[in-house]
Amino acid sequence: MDFELDGEQQAILDSVDVLLSLRAGPERAIALAAKGELDHDLARALREAGFLSLATEVGPLEAALLVERAARAAAVLDVGARALVAPALLREVPDVPVALVHADGRGPVRHAAFAGVLLVADGAVARLVRVEPGSLAPVRSGYGDPLGFVPEALRRSGEALGAGSGERLLRWWRLALALELSGASTAALATTVAYLKQRRQFGRAIGSFQAVQHRLARCAIRTEASRWLALEAAHHGAPGERVAVAAAHAADTAAQVFRETHQLSGAIGFTREHDLHVFSMRLQSLRLELGGSTAHARAITAERWAEGAP
Amino acid sequence: MEFDWSPQDEAHREELRRFLDETLPEDWETISRDGPGSDAQAGFSREFCARMAERGWLTQHWPAAYGGSDAPPWRHAIVGEELWAIGEPRGPQYMNVNWIGPAIMEFGTEEQKAQHLPRISRGEVIWCQGFSEPEAGSDLVALRTRARREGDAYVVDGSKIWTSYAQHADFCILLVRTDPEAGRHKGISVLLVPMRTEGITVREIPSVVGERYFHEVFFDAVRVPVSCRLGPENEGWNVVTHALQYERVGAARYARAALTLDRLAERARERGWLEDPHVAERLGHARTLVEAARVLTYRVIDQRAHGKPPSTDTQLARVAGTDADLAVGELALELFGQEGLAYGSFADANFRLAMTAGVAVGATEVQLNLIAARHLELPRE
């Protein structure tokens, strides 16, 4: 048991942070959002540095650390799907964007408009669907990631990835979600805390009011716990109960962080000239994925307490 | 970074569980129903702690020089988890081994160490902590109990309140004001007071929580030898904050909440309630709070294992533990409905134990103040 990074992990994260500080960040996310684009340059840079293959070459925990950091840095990229989920299902990590799809999901899908590979969760099996990148219709949306529409015929097609693959896809997808939620919640909170230290009303910093401080402190407790729960689950290879706990906790945290950061930031928080929306709007999208907090919570109970649970 | 238990730690947990199976009496659930301060549990703790001590487990995290075996913090955390979860058979003595003993090691004289440490590590002594006063609760530093120097003794006058375990205690670790003129944090000293000293009276305050939960302790011209002072005169605040920093997470509340939640879910399954998606969601959400508290507590233990100074992660863990405890207690009441109102029923017993969580050992609001100031570095003004 050791919560500190070891030498190799520290070295990886140092390089990841340098790369992200140069090539990601809220400003870039805002520019990409205006064009409805995915960050292809960032994807290339991460791939060339070897970070997209961390899961197979080092381990899932190291890939998880990358996913969480990328979300904190407002990366507009399928980094969770490509660096963490795909390696758990495919022998070779695709060189094209990966979108995660639920066979019964009718809503738009993150990154689908740019995807070259769809991983479809369809009951007991996962299926691999190859598509021409750019062939799926983009869906206009203000929730952080570019979305695309996946027609039902496509959601029902593709090559089955074998026994147990459906369940495996859901587990690693839940984990990636938990990490992205955690990273984005942490960044949204940090953005708001920084703002409230500066912003003065009634002759004092807003962040000095106890009524405000306690709400921020509660958010901090939740974001810290979300991160550790997700990293623990990654280390253990994404077991069903742990990923459901991490995802449910992170989704509930996201709802709370969204509410509190926007309320406490006032009107500036709703503008595109302030960074908060880059993280907070994405939180709403992420917290709904895979049925959201209620579905994750039911999965916990099924995994832990149902008749014949492991 | 890695999150596996070492094989030695896992083996220790298994061994401990076997020991508990063999050692706890059949009516343990009845004994533990009213909490660590009850007559039954405090009495049983003397027997139980002696057996823990025989195996060298009671104070294994202490240095070998003081009768421990330098066990790593993780090992002691396992003991805390396993024992607190089942209702704390160490009774009040968990405080002794967690922080009163270590405080004596850090600040005590050789004589004090020789007097107290062996008895604590043999599991034969019960302590209470004389901290809160009628006018000094969350604002502990406002304490007024006075100790005047008279020759080689202090004469103590005043009163303490909410004192758990006072009726069973052999000793009290007592906070007194030795210099009323000094600033709020100065002029406080710590005394190690035998409870059977003339002038000490204990009154139980009846409560809705359980038997022997709260007491008032009155000090009427109580003479305490100067040799009983722990640490330098007027610097008691440092002694207490230092001693308590690590141990504020002390009781493994999340472990208790986790076991209670498992038992609640088991009963819910037997009654077919798990089929109700709303019940399944409630149980799942409660589990997230328990797990959050566990992982945040582990973070604190990890810092200790690395020899790092205490940080505000302690406060994060404290509040998360409180939230988990309260959520599970409330959920038990809600799922059982009016059935849970009967005294001693599963829901009642657990709810009563959970309900003090946000107040005991320092109110949640104080923890949130500390997180805001030190973790988020928000301005004070």
Side-chain angles (χ1 to χ4, degrees), chain A residues 78-103:
Chain A
D78 55 318
V79 60
R82 227 189 301 188
L84 200 61
V85 182
L89 287 129
L90 306 175
R91 228 165 283 138
E92 290 214 6
V93 179
D95 251 357
V96 285
V98 177
L100 306 177
V101 183
H102 204 287

Side-chain angles (χ1 to χ4, degrees), chain A residues 55-87:
Chain A
T56 39
E57 276 161 31
V58 188
L61 176 57
E62 287 69 18
L65 288 164
L66 165 72
V67 173
E68 194 268 343
R69 284 300 229 271
R72 252 199 266 180
V76 185
L77 195 62
D78 55 318
V79 60
R82 227 189 301 188
L84 200 61
V85 182

Side-chain angles (χ1 to χ4, degrees), chain B residues 269-299:
Chain B
R269 184 178 57 204
E270 283 162 14
R271 294 182 178 214
W273 296 344
L274 289 191
E275 310 301 316
D276 179 346
H278 182 64
V279 171
E281 284 160 28
R282 296 290 306 274
L283 288 165
H285 282 299
R287 177 79 186 151
T288 67
L289 297 181
V290 167
E291 281 286 275
R294 178 191 56 76
V295 81
L296 290 177
T297 306
Y298 281 11
R299 174 67 180 138

Side-chain angles (χ1 to χ4, degrees), chain A residues 1-4 9 197 204 208 210 213-214 218 232 235-236 241 252 293 298 301 304-305, chain B residues 1-5 262 269 280-281 285 287 294 299 302 306 308 323 369 376-377 379 381:
Chain A
M1 199 78 77
D2 189 349
F3 281 55
E4 299 289 324
Q9 291 164 338
K197 286 179 187 174
R204 55 194 278 198
S208 70
Q210 193 184 38
Q213 291 186 343
H214 282 193
R218 285 207 162 273
E232 251 191 351
H235 169 81
H236 291 294
E241 186 198 333
D252 289 344
S293 159
R298 283 182 212 171
T301 297
R304 184 169 183 83
W305 296 303
Chain B
M1 186 181 289
E2 53 90 13
F3 303 98
D4 288 317
W5 290 105
D262 281 341
R269 184 178 57 204
E281 284 160 28
H285 282 299
R287 177 79 186 151
R294 178 191 56 76
R299 174 67 180 138
D302 182 67
H306 282 284
K308 291 190 162 184
D323 288 351
N369 286 347
L376 297 176
E377 298 176 336
E381 262 168 88

Side-chain angles (χ1 to χ4, degrees), chain B residues 160-309:
Chain B
K160 294 288 171 178
I161 197 166
W162 317 130
T163 323
S164 303
Y165 324 130
Q167 279 192 340
H168 298 290
D170 306 292
F171 289 92
C172 177
I173 181 161
L174 182 68
L175 285 186
V176 292
R177 196 160 283 285
T178 34
D179 182 357
E181 308 302 321
R184 267 162 58 91
H185 294 85
K186 316 247 168 166
I188 292 172
S189 300
V190 180
L191 301 179
L192 308 174
V193 183
M195 287 296 280
R196 281 165 205 78
T197 308
E198 205 183 319
I200 298 181
T201 21
V202 175
R203 178 182 85 87
E204 182 182 351
I205 306 173
S207 82
V208 294
V209 185
E211 190 187 307
R212 302 256 191 274
Y213 245 82
F214 302 123
H215 303 82
E216 266 182 296
V217 184
F218 300 94
F219 297 84
D220 182 12
V222 175
R223 288 187 74 82
V224 181
V226 169
S227 61
C228 292
R229 193 189 63 230
L230 183 67
E233 189 173 74
N234 297 330
E235 287 176 31
W237 190 251
N238 291 342
V239 175
V240 167
T241 47
H242 180 95
L244 285 185
Q245 255 302 343
Y246 269 144
E247 295 310 331
R248 283 267 149 164
V249 287
R253 280 192 174 272
Y254 63 89
R256 171 89 191 189
L259 186 65
T260 301
L261 185 61
D262 281 341
R263 288 175 174 168
L264 178 60
E266 197 180 302
R267 285 163 169 80
R269 184 178 57 204
E270 283 162 14
R271 294 182 178 214
W273 296 344
L274 289 191
E275 310 301 316
D276 179 346
H278 182 64
V279 171
E281 284 160 28
R282 296 290 306 274
L283 288 165
H285 282 299
R287 177 79 186 151
T288 67
L289 297 181
V290 167
E291 281 286 275
R294 178 191 56 76
V295 81
L296 290 177
T297 306
Y298 281 11
R299 174 67 180 138
V300 177
I301 298 164
D302 182 67
Q303 288 173 342
R304 197 180 318 172
H306 282 284
K308 291 190 162 184

Side-chain angles (χ1 to χ4, degrees), chain A residues 40-56:
Chain A
H40 301 288
D41 291 347
L42 178 61
R44 197 172 311 116
L46 287 171
R47 191 175 54 238
E48 281 167 9
F51 295 141
L52 293 181
S53 45
L54 280 173
T56 39

